[in-house]
Amino acid sequence: MGISQLNFEGKNKVEVAIMRLKEFEPSEGYFGAFSGGKDSCVIKGLAEEAEVKVDWHFNISGIDPKELLAFIRENHPDVGLIYPAMPIFKAVVKHGLPRRNARWCCELIKETAGKGRTVLTGVRWAESVRRRARRMYEVCRTDGTKMFLHPIIDWTDTEVWEYIHSTNLPYCLLYDEGFKRIGCILCPMASQRITKKECERFPKVAEAWRRAAIRLWE
């Protein structure tokens, strides 16, 4: 479709996203959930266009690519860093290895912040089957005090990149190495192909995972 194509109201997708940001802006401003990925960069750019109030935050996992952290420090110094209550590999020994059907890591590291706030995210329907059930504006299922706004929920990957290139937004160069998603290294939700690629690209983190699994076994 493309971000410039008009809908039945005569607005393009950028204008619709900006309208959503203005419509749901809380008096205290948004809690911006920033990951450093392409979608986060887009919603941050759109929020600046919309001139809405946002305080941005990045949850340190301990298994983030160093290239991603360097990108955030250089290009988004206004993003605050949130550290986990327990280091990821100590948590592995306590909770076990994260699995697709037991993904405690997100709950422990990524989803604790933003209580009582309206959280701004880059969640999109095109990302996964599970995310197609999400609503553009919704209450958090695990914390009823928290609301979510996903202003680009109906954007495609192509439209995200179109906005990035048309506005000259900087992005993490790991995308240029062929990575489609940038986040926690060896996430249990990743495919075997991605897992193999990440083991080769980030051997030190892969080795840290192996040592944590051995400690858990012992």
Side-chain angles (χ1 to χ4, degrees), residues 125-136:
W125 288 327
E127 292 179 288
S128 68
V129 173
R130 178 176 294 182
R131 291 194 169 183
R132 288 175 198 161
R134 303 293 293 271
R135 296 175 179 270
M136 185 264 294

Side-chain angles (χ1 to χ4, degrees), residues 25-45:
E25 182 184 10
S27 57
E28 73 276 14
Y30 291 108
F31 181 98
F34 190 79
S35 70
K38 63 185 187 303
D39 302 322
S40 283
C41 292
V42 168
I43 61 166
K44 196 165 184 282

Side-chain angles (χ1 to χ4, degrees), residues 151-168:
I152 60 170
I153 195 167
D154 51 352
W155 288 33
T156 65
D157 289 1
T158 300
E159 288 165 344
V160 167
W161 283 113
E162 183 182 345
Y163 181 84
I164 288 172
H165 294 312
S166 65
T167 57
N168 293 316

Side-chain angles (χ1 to χ4, degrees), residues 17-165:
I18 289 174
M19 180 181 66
R20 291 167 177 169
L21 285 161
K22 290 182 176 180
E23 180 180 355
F24 293 97
E25 182 184 10
S27 57
E28 73 276 14
Y30 291 108
F31 181 98
F34 190 79
S35 70
K38 63 185 187 303
D39 302 322
S40 283
C41 292
V42 168
I43 61 166
K44 196 165 184 282
L46 288 168
E48 290 174 0
E49 284 195 57
E51 298 183 335
V52 294
K53 183 180 178 182
V54 190
D55 48 282
W56 296 98
H57 307 270
F58 175 79
N59 290 86
I60 297 282
S61 71
I63 46 175
D64 308 295
K66 63 180 182 180
E67 294 84 357
L68 177 62
L69 297 175
F71 165 74
I72 293 173
R73 283 195 297 269
E74 180 178 350
N75 296 278
H76 300 280
D78 58 320
V79 174
L81 303 180
I82 300 175
Y83 291 85
M86 180 183 295
I88 180 67
F89 295 119
K90 284 188 177 181
V92 165
V93 177
K94 180 177 180 180
H95 299 286
L97 288 168
R99 303 180 302 283
R100 284 177 177 248
N101 60 350
R103 216 158 30 109
W104 54 260
C105 45
C106 282
E107 182 179 346
L108 180 70
I109 297 171
K110 298 290 186 180
E111 299 171 358
T112 56
K115 291 182 181 296
R117 302 285 303 278
T118 299
V119 180
L120 193 58
T121 86
V123 165
R124 294 182 297 111
W125 288 327
E127 292 179 288
S128 68
V129 173
R130 178 176 294 182
R131 291 194 169 183
R132 288 175 198 161
R134 303 293 293 271
R135 296 175 179 270
M136 185 264 294
Y137 184 68
E138 59 184 358
V139 64
C140 177
R141 300 175 204 173
T142 58
D143 180 355
T145 72
K146 184 162 51 175
M147 300 297 297
F148 287 114
L149 176 66
H150 317 299
I152 60 170
I153 195 167
D154 51 352
W155 288 33
T156 65
D157 289 1
T158 300
E159 288 165 344
V160 167
W161 283 113
E162 183 182 345
Y163 181 84
I164 288 172
H165 294 312

